[in-house]
Amino acid sequence: VFRVFRCSYIAMMKKQLSILIPTFNDDCTELVVCLRRQAEACKDLDFEIIVADDGSTDKTVVSRHEQIGTWQHCRFVRKEENIGRAAIRNCLAALAQYPWLLFIDADMSVVRDDFISRYVSSPPGGIRYGGYEVTGNDPANLRNAYERAFAATHTLQRRQEEPYRHFHTSNFMITKELMHQFPFDERFRYYGYEDDIFGKTMKENHIAIEHIDNPIGFSKFESNEDFLKKTEEGLRTLHAFSSELADCSNLITIANRLNKWRLARLVILFHHVFQRTERRNLCGSHPSLFIFKLYKLGYYLSIV
């Protein structure tokens, strides 16, 4: 009886955390090293780190990730075929053995020495989103310039004012029970908006998302051409689920107004005439964020 009581007491005293990292062609070995070091430094913490590869095509990245599976507290799983951004996160949640799940995107970096301990020491229950901060300043990189310009709308105060709209999957903690009750919508297979629909689902079910000051670093940026391709993929996702995402996207609001005012065709015509010129700018060394906005609007209206 004493032994059973002692085991139960230890289980209650210890905190248990599964750190879950979905990846596709992003080398996250350095991220895992940092997270494992911080987790090991936390007293009374049982933890695991699971990296799930969603059908990566870069064999060098896959080879490096296979080494992670040999490290203490770490597991590596690989899908032979890409199952999608939502499904791979649900897969990670199913694999996790502990009641708290911390999702971190593979292209992020640890920027605070107390990153794990801040999450571990937070009160139990619900969902917590720590935010992210952009590191580095490269105006020649479209993604970097865009994220730095967007950072002003992603402060802790702004996030707390609209907690459901400013939720992102790059850095959040959730109970396993909640995750199983409200898994990610696996219709969102391609890039974009799986976090928006998740935030909307939480709002509809009156489940609070707490925004805290515990950012992860955003320091890896794809090439301008690759980011433009991802943006186009995201716009196609937005169009496919436009009826469900209408309240989540300013672009849909603008597109609807242009259609109402019968100006959409002019924007589409402008896009068809100047899209090559716009792409040259956006893929060049001096990308314009204004042209990026025009390109996204024209591309989306062309789909519609």
Side-chain angles (χ1 to χ4, degrees):
V1 174
F2 174 75
R3 186 177 180 181
V4 172
F5 173 78
R6 182 174 179 272
C7 291
S8 299
Y9 177 75
I10 291 173
M12 286 190 296
M13 290 297 292
K14 279 196 170 185
K15 294 193 175 182
Q16 299 176 316
L17 178 68
S18 294
I19 302 171
L20 309 176
I21 305 173
T23 183
F24 176 76
N25 287 336
D26 285 313
D27 186 350
C28 64
T29 51
E30 184 178 348
L31 173 64
V32 173
V33 168
C34 292
L35 293 171
R36 186 173 69 140
R37 184 186 303 123
Q38 287 197 14
E40 286 175 340
C42 292
K43 294 181 180 179
D44 300 317
L45 175 65
D46 288 332
F47 77 96
E48 64 178 348
I49 300 176
I50 309 176
V51 176
D53 184 287
D54 193 15
S56 288
T57 55
D58 189 327
K59 294 182 179 179
T60 301
V61 170
V62 174
S63 178
R64 286 180 61 83
H65 285 166
E66 286 174 343
Q67 298 176 24
I68 293 173
T70 66
W71 300 348
Q72 189 176 13
H73 303 296
C74 297
R75 276 195 286 167
F76 173 69
V77 296
R78 182 167 187 256
K79 298 292 183 182
E80 292 298 327
E81 296 183 359
N82 186 279
I83 61 174
R85 296 168 61 85
I88 196 66
R89 287 176 171 83
N90 291 340
C91 177
L92 277 164
L95 291 170
Q97 63 174 315
Y98 293 135
W100 277 101
L101 313 179
L102 175 58
F103 283 88
I104 306 290
D105 279 357
D107 58 351
M108 296 294 173
S109 60
V110 178
V111 293
R112 293 193 178 183
D113 293 335
D114 60 349
F115 175 73
I116 293 295
S117 63
R118 277 177 175 248
Y119 271 127
V120 171
S121 62
S122 58
I127 303 170
R128 288 180 185 83
Y129 171 54
Y132 66 87
E133 63 180 44
V134 182
T135 60
N137 183 13
D138 183 7
N141 182 274
L142 179 59
R143 181 68 180 271
N144 181 273
Y146 173 77
E147 294 295 347
R148 287 184 66 82
F150 183 73
T153 67
H154 197 67
T155 63
L156 178 61
Q157 181 179 348
R158 292 289 294 273
R159 289 192 282 121
Q160 289 174 336
E161 289 170 356
E162 295 184 282
Y164 299 103
R165 188 161 189 166
H166 288 288
F167 171 81
H168 295 282
T169 58
S170 58
N171 168 28
F172 77 102
M173 189 167 71
I174 185 173
T175 62
K176 187 173 183 178
E177 181 182 3
L178 261 180
M179 190 66 196
H180 286 329
Q181 187 178 358
F182 299 100
F184 282 101
D185 190 333
E186 296 190 6
R187 294 175 302 158
F188 286 75
R189 181 182 175 91
Y190 302 105
Y191 180 76
Y193 298 98
E194 74 280 356
D195 41 13
D196 293 88
I197 205 71
F198 186 82
K200 182 179 179 181
T201 300
M202 296 303 100
K203 183 177 182 179
E204 291 172 347
N205 287 275
H206 308 289
I207 297 171
I209 297 178
E210 180 185 358
H211 287 254
I212 64 174
D213 180 25
N214 196 25
I216 200 79
F218 196 171
S219 57
K220 298 179 182 178
F221 305 99
E222 58 271 84
S223 69
N224 293 355
E225 185 174 355
D226 285 344
F227 180 52
L228 201 56
K229 289 179 180 178
K230 286 176 71 173
T231 299
E232 292 170 346
E233 184 176 328
L235 291 171
R236 293 193 293 271
T237 299
L238 181 63
H239 169 62
F241 299 97
S242 58
S243 59
E244 296 169 70
L245 294 169
D247 296 336
C248 308
S249 170
N250 291 330
L251 188 61
I252 291 178
T253 301
I254 294 171
N256 288 340
R257 287 176 181 173
L258 289 173
N259 276 312
K260 181 179 179 181
W261 298 335
R262 299 185 179 180
L263 295 174
R265 289 189 178 184
L266 288 176
V267 178
I268 294 171
L269 177 61
F270 180 91
H271 179 73
H272 280 276
V273 172
F274 292 103
Q275 61 177 315
R276 290 185 180 180
T277 303
E278 291 175 327
R279 286 187 67 89
R280 278 197 298 270
N281 171 268
L282 297 175
C283 293
S285 57
H286 298 88
S288 165
L289 293 180
F290 176 72
I291 291 177
F292 186 49
K293 290 180 181 179
L294 286 179
Y295 186 86
K296 288 199 298 182
L297 179 60
Y299 188 92
Y300 179 77
L301 284 171
S302 297
I303 300 172
V304 176

